[in-house]
Amino acid sequence: PFALAGLMAAITTLAATGQAMAQDFKPRIVRFGYGLVDDSNQGRAARFFAKEVEKATGGKMKVRAIGNASLGSDTQMQQALIGGAQEMMVGSTATLVGLSPEMAVWDTPFLFSSTKEADAVLDGPVGEKVKATLEPKGMVGLVYWENGFRNLTNNKRPIAKLEDLADVKLRVMQNNVFLDSFKALGANAVPLPFSELFTALETRAVDGQENPFNTVLSSKFYEVQKYLTISNHVYSPWIVTVSKKWWDTLTPAEKKVLQDAAVKSREFERKDTREEAAKALADIKTKGMQVNELPAAEVGRMRDKLATVNAGIAKTVGQGTWDEVQAAVKQARAV
Ligand code: TF8
């Protein structure tokens, strides 16, 4: 009977805490926008995040994961977050460079050579520091997700040597590092929002693009692209952000729920992305794309050519941030 009484007391306490917690949360609708299709690593992680938040708030805070750039391209959503017209989004760090120049450091070609390095640096002190530069611009960065290592696709030919890029009209993200990088490689680089990319490829307005395997699959680029060249020329992070205007209206308990769910979503997303990427090449071949690996010697030439953009990146992000990132990579590599 004694044990039973203890158990009853414990249950009562639990119920009371549960109730008090539910009362901590006001009913809120959170519009969480993203650019890829629903059936993508981005979409799956956005829905995972939504479920976590609903669970933690007893259904009070409802996250609507809205994909396909239905709420706008990355840059349009950023403006909506800053203005307070939208609560949350996830998108490329590369599209934030116009607002926060420090973000350009993640666009450094060949910065990371493994996902282990990427995780350590992005989740470490310098990653936090770069993330924090968003706050004065009107956005709060929660966590980095993995977009992944980028590879080339195009309709002209397999890229077997650098010179093969010469007359390729290549879509790049809207950011000077990407523009300068591909110009340095000799391609005809054209900046375009991701939301316009499929149509641009389909109508042959551009010949090619570069993105991780996952996106080549989820966005069905294999339908409109013949050749895929494995180059792994840069690792792209995504970043989950919140409107600062809206963030400032939240209680500490609500902020904590979002932060905790974001960290859980990061673990989920990276695992999911890596599992998908590991199987992707076989899927891409089945879909009919011709796949080649950029020969090591040519990767070396690509690296050399791209090293010329590094000085520009260091200037954009500040020498201090550049040095900190380089040191963090070195440290991660040594572990
Ligand atoms: C790109 C990026 C995209 C992201 C996504 C829409 O090529 O790699 O994956 O911007 O959030 O634009």
mmCIF file with all atom_site columns, all heavy atoms in Angstrom, residues 120-133:
data_model
loop_
_atom_site.group_PDB
_atom_site.id
_atom_site.type_symbol
_atom_site.label_atom_id
_atom_site.label_alt_id
_atom_site.label_comp_id
_atom_site.label_asym_id
_atom_site.label_entity_id
_atom_site.label_seq_id
_atom_site.pdbx_PDB_ins_code
_atom_site.Cartn_x
_atom_site.Cartn_y
_atom_site.Cartn_z
_atom_site.occupancy
_atom_site.B_iso_or_equiv
_atom_site.pdbx_formal_charge
_atom_site.auth_seq_id
_atom_site.auth_comp_id
_atom_site.auth_asym_id
_atom_site.auth_atom_id
_atom_site.pdbx_PDB_model_num
ATOM 1  N N   . ALA A 1 120 ? 31.339 19.442 -36.648 1.00 0.00 ? 120 ALA A N   1
ATOM 2  C CA  . ALA A 1 120 ? 32.152 19.989 -35.553 1.00 0.00 ? 120 ALA A CA  1
ATOM 3  C C   . ALA A 1 120 ? 32.293 21.506 -35.680 1.00 0.00 ? 120 ALA A C   1
ATOM 4  O O   . ALA A 1 120 ? 32.172 22.236 -34.687 1.00 0.00 ? 120 ALA A O   1
ATOM 5  C CB  . ALA A 1 120 ? 33.527 19.320 -35.541 1.00 0.00 ? 120 ALA A CB  1
ATOM 6  N N   . VAL A 1 121 ? 32.518 21.987 -36.886 1.00 0.00 ? 121 VAL A N   1
ATOM 7  C CA  . VAL A 1 121 ? 32.751 23.421 -37.072 1.00 0.00 ? 121 VAL A CA  1
ATOM 8  C C   . VAL A 1 121 ? 31.437 24.210 -36.989 1.00 0.00 ? 121 VAL A C   1
ATOM 9  O O   . VAL A 1 121 ? 31.348 25.228 -36.305 1.00 0.00 ? 121 VAL A O   1
ATOM 10 C CB  . VAL A 1 121 ? 33.486 23.687 -38.407 1.00 0.00 ? 121 VAL A CB  1
ATOM 11 C CG1 . VAL A 1 121 ? 33.654 25.182 -38.634 1.00 0.00 ? 121 VAL A CG1 1
ATOM 12 C CG2 . VAL A 1 121 ? 34.840 22.979 -38.404 1.00 0.00 ? 121 VAL A CG2 1
ATOM 13 N N   . LEU A 1 122 ? 30.405 23.706 -37.661 1.00 0.00 ? 122 LEU A N   1
ATOM 14 C CA  . LEU A 1 122 ? 29.123 24.425 -37.664 1.00 0.00 ? 122 LEU A CA  1
ATOM 15 C C   . LEU A 1 122 ? 28.505 24.479 -36.268 1.00 0.00 ? 122 LEU A C   1
ATOM 16 O O   . LEU A 1 122 ? 27.958 25.504 -35.860 1.00 0.00 ? 122 LEU A O   1
ATOM 17 C CB  . LEU A 1 122 ? 28.150 23.764 -38.646 1.00 0.00 ? 122 LEU A CB  1
ATOM 18 C CG  . LEU A 1 122 ? 28.497 23.930 -40.126 1.00 0.00 ? 122 LEU A CG  1
ATOM 19 C CD1 . LEU A 1 122 ? 27.736 22.929 -40.981 1.00 0.00 ? 122 LEU A CD1 1
ATOM 20 C CD2 . LEU A 1 122 ? 28.213 25.348 -40.607 1.00 0.00 ? 122 LEU A CD2 1
ATOM 21 N N   . ASP A 1 123 ? 28.593 23.376 -35.517 1.00 0.00 ? 123 ASP A N   1
ATOM 22 C CA  . ASP A 1 123 ? 27.988 23.325 -34.181 1.00 0.00 ? 123 ASP A CA  1
ATOM 23 C C   . ASP A 1 123 ? 28.922 23.876 -33.106 1.00 0.00 ? 123 ASP A C   1
ATOM 24 O O   . ASP A 1 123 ? 28.527 24.001 -31.953 1.00 0.00 ? 123 ASP A O   1
ATOM 25 C CB  . ASP A 1 123 ? 27.599 21.880 -33.825 1.00 0.00 ? 123 ASP A CB  1
ATOM 26 C CG  . ASP A 1 123 ? 26.617 21.275 -34.825 1.00 0.00 ? 123 ASP A CG  1
ATOM 27 O OD1 . ASP A 1 123 ? 26.034 22.052 -35.615 1.00 0.00 ? 123 ASP A OD1 1
ATOM 28 O OD2 . ASP A 1 123 ? 26.441 20.053 -34.824 1.00 0.00 ? 123 ASP A OD2 1
ATOM 29 N N   . GLY A 1 124 ? 30.136 24.196 -33.480 1.00 0.00 ? 124 GLY A N   1
ATOM 30 C CA  . GLY A 1 124 ? 31.111 24.715 -32.520 1.00 0.00 ? 124 GLY A CA  1
ATOM 31 C C   . GLY A 1 124 ? 31.037 26.230 -32.386 1.00 0.00 ? 124 GLY A C   1
ATOM 32 O O   . GLY A 1 124 ? 30.134 26.870 -32.940 1.00 0.00 ? 124 GLY A O   1
ATOM 33 N N   . PRO A 1 125 ? 31.982 26.812 -31.623 1.00 0.00 ? 125 PRO A N   1
ATOM 34 C CA  . PRO A 1 125 ? 31.927 28.247 -31.302 1.00 0.00 ? 125 PRO A CA  1
ATOM 35 C C   . PRO A 1 125 ? 31.880 29.175 -32.524 1.00 0.00 ? 125 PRO A C   1
ATOM 36 O O   . PRO A 1 125 ? 31.106 30.133 -32.530 1.00 0.00 ? 125 PRO A O   1
ATOM 37 C CB  . PRO A 1 125 ? 33.219 28.480 -30.510 1.00 0.00 ? 125 PRO A CB  1
ATOM 38 C CG  . PRO A 1 125 ? 33.690 27.145 -30.076 1.00 0.00 ? 125 PRO A CG  1
ATOM 39 C CD  . PRO A 1 125 ? 33.110 26.122 -30.985 1.00 0.00 ? 125 PRO A CD  1
ATOM 40 N N   . VAL A 1 126 ? 32.653 28.879 -33.567 1.00 0.00 ? 126 VAL A N   1
ATOM 41 C CA  . VAL A 1 126 ? 32.650 29.808 -34.703 1.00 0.00 ? 126 VAL A CA  1
ATOM 42 C C   . VAL A 1 126 ? 31.346 29.696 -35.506 1.00 0.00 ? 126 VAL A C   1
ATOM 43 O O   . VAL A 1 126 ? 30.836 30.691 -36.023 1.00 0.00 ? 126 VAL A O   1
ATOM 44 C CB  . VAL A 1 126 ? 33.918 29.657 -35.587 1.00 0.00 ? 126 VAL A CB  1
ATOM 45 C CG1 . VAL A 1 126 ? 33.907 28.385 -36.403 1.00 0.00 ? 126 VAL A CG1 1
ATOM 46 C CG2 . VAL A 1 126 ? 34.067 30.881 -36.480 1.00 0.00 ? 126 VAL A CG2 1
ATOM 47 N N   . GLY A 1 127 ? 30.793 28.488 -35.537 1.00 0.00 ? 127 GLY A N   1
ATOM 48 C CA  . GLY A 1 127 ? 29.488 28.315 -36.178 1.00 0.00 ? 127 GLY A CA  1
ATOM 49 C C   . GLY A 1 127 ? 28.417 29.129 -35.469 1.00 0.00 ? 127 GLY A C   1
ATOM 50 O O   . GLY A 1 127 ? 27.577 29.786 -36.092 1.00 0.00 ? 127 GLY A O   1
ATOM 51 N N   . GLU A 1 128 ? 28.477 29.095 -34.137 1.00 0.00 ? 128 GLU A N   1
ATOM 52 C CA  . GLU A 1 128 ? 27.535 29.871 -33.314 1.00 0.00 ? 128 GLU A CA  1
ATOM 53 C C   . GLU A 1 128 ? 27.722 31.367 -33.563 1.00 0.00 ? 128 GLU A C   1
ATOM 54 O O   . GLU A 1 128 ? 26.756 32.127 -33.660 1.00 0.00 ? 128 GLU A O   1
ATOM 55 C CB  . GLU A 1 128 ? 27.772 29.576 -31.823 1.00 0.00 ? 128 GLU A CB  1
ATOM 56 C CG  . GLU A 1 128 ? 27.241 28.229 -31.359 1.00 0.00 ? 128 GLU A CG  1
ATOM 57 C CD  . GLU A 1 128 ? 25.731 28.097 -31.540 1.00 0.00 ? 128 GLU A CD  1
ATOM 58 O OE1 . GLU A 1 128 ? 24.997 29.053 -31.222 1.00 0.00 ? 128 GLU A OE1 1
ATOM 59 O OE2 . GLU A 1 128 ? 25.291 27.028 -32.007 1.00 0.00 ? 128 GLU A OE2 1
ATOM 60 N N   . LYS A 1 129 ? 28.966 31.775 -33.653 1.00 0.00 ? 129 LYS A N   1
ATOM 61 C CA  . LYS A 1 129 ? 29.280 33.192 -33.841 1.00 0.00 ? 129 LYS A CA  1
ATOM 62 C C   . LYS A 1 129 ? 28.724 33.707 -35.180 1.00 0.00 ? 129 LYS A C   1
ATOM 63 O O   . LYS A 1 129 ? 28.111 34.767 -35.242 1.00 0.00 ? 129 LYS A O   1
ATOM 64 C CB  . LYS A 1 129 ? 30.804 33.369 -33.793 1.00 0.00 ? 129 LYS A CB  1
ATOM 65 C CG  . LYS A 1 129 ? 31.242 34.800 -33.638 1.00 0.00 ? 129 LYS A CG  1
ATOM 66 C CD  . LYS A 1 129 ? 32.763 34.901 -33.585 1.00 0.00 ? 129 LYS A CD  1
ATOM 67 C CE  . LYS A 1 129 ? 33.256 35.816 -34.689 1.00 0.00 ? 129 LYS A CE  1
ATOM 68 N NZ  . LYS A 1 129 ? 34.714 36.048 -34.605 1.00 0.00 ? 129 LYS A NZ  1
ATOM 69 N N   . VAL A 1 130 ? 28.922 32.920 -36.216 1.00 0.00 ? 130 VAL A N   1
ATOM 70 C CA  . VAL A 1 130 ? 28.417 33.318 -37.538 1.00 0.00 ? 130 VAL A CA  1
ATOM 71 C C   . VAL A 1 130 ? 26.884 33.345 -37.518 1.00 0.00 ? 130 VAL A C   1
ATOM 72 O O   . VAL A 1 130 ? 26.258 34.276 -38.033 1.00 0.00 ? 130 VAL A O   1
ATOM 73 C CB  . VAL A 1 130 ? 28.963 32.366 -38.633 1.00 0.00 ? 130 VAL A CB  1
ATOM 74 C CG1 . VAL A 1 130 ? 28.281 32.624 -39.968 1.00 0.00 ? 130 VAL A CG1 1
ATOM 75 C CG2 . VAL A 1 130 ? 30.477 32.512 -38.757 1.00 0.00 ? 130 VAL A CG2 1
ATOM 76 N N   . LYS A 1 131 ? 26.297 32.358 -36.872 1.00 0.00 ? 131 LYS A N   1
ATOM 77 C CA  . LYS A 1 131 ? 24.835 32.286 -36.745 1.00 0.00 ? 131 LYS A CA  1
ATOM 78 C C   . LYS A 1 131 ? 24.291 33.529 -36.033 1.00 0.00 ? 131 LYS A C   1
ATOM 79 O O   . LYS A 1 131 ? 23.260 34.080 -36.412 1.00 0.00 ? 131 LYS A O   1
ATOM 80 C CB  . LYS A 1 131 ? 24.498 31.008 -35.965 1.00 0.00 ? 131 LYS A CB  1
ATOM 81 C CG  . LYS A 1 131 ? 23.058 30.629 -35.896 1.00 0.00 ? 131 LYS A CG  1
ATOM 82 C CD  . LYS A 1 131 ? 22.895 29.116 -35.730 1.00 0.00 ? 131 LYS A CD  1
ATOM 83 C CE  . LYS A 1 131 ? 23.358 28.567 -34.396 1.00 0.00 ? 131 LYS A CE  1
ATOM 84 N NZ  . LYS A 1 131 ? 22.520 28.952 -33.252 1.00 0.00 ? 131 LYS A NZ  1
ATOM 85 N N   . ALA A 1 132 ? 25.014 33.967 -35.018 1.00 0.00 ? 132 ALA A N   1
ATOM 86 C CA  . ALA A 1 132 ? 24.563 35.104 -34.203 1.00 0.00 ? 132 ALA A CA  1
ATOM 87 C C   . ALA A 1 132 ? 24.560 36.430 -34.981 1.00 0.00 ? 132 ALA A C   1
ATOM 88 O O   . ALA A 1 132 ? 23.891 37.381 -34.576 1.00 0.00 ? 132 ALA A O   1
ATOM 89 C CB  . ALA A 1 132 ? 25.434 35.227 -32.960 1.00 0.00 ? 132 ALA A CB  1
ATOM 90 N N   . THR A 1 133 ? 25.278 36.478 -36.114 1.00 0.00 ? 133 THR A N   1
ATOM 91 C CA  . THR A 1 133 ? 25.293 37.727 -36.897 1.00 0.00 ? 133 THR A CA  1
ATOM 92 C C   . THR A 1 133 ? 23.928 38.012 -37.523 1.00 0.00 ? 133 THR A C   1
ATOM 93 O O   . THR A 1 133 ? 23.687 39.106 -38.015 1.00 0.00 ? 133 THR A O   1
ATOM 94 C CB  . THR A 1 133 ? 26.354 37.685 -38.027 1.00 0.00 ? 133 THR A CB  1
ATOM 95 O OG1 . THR A 1 133 ? 26.021 36.633 -38.939 1.00 0.00 ? 133 THR A OG1 1
ATOM 96 C CG2 . THR A 1 133 ? 27.757 37.484 -37.470 1.00 0.00 ? 133 THR A CG2 1
#
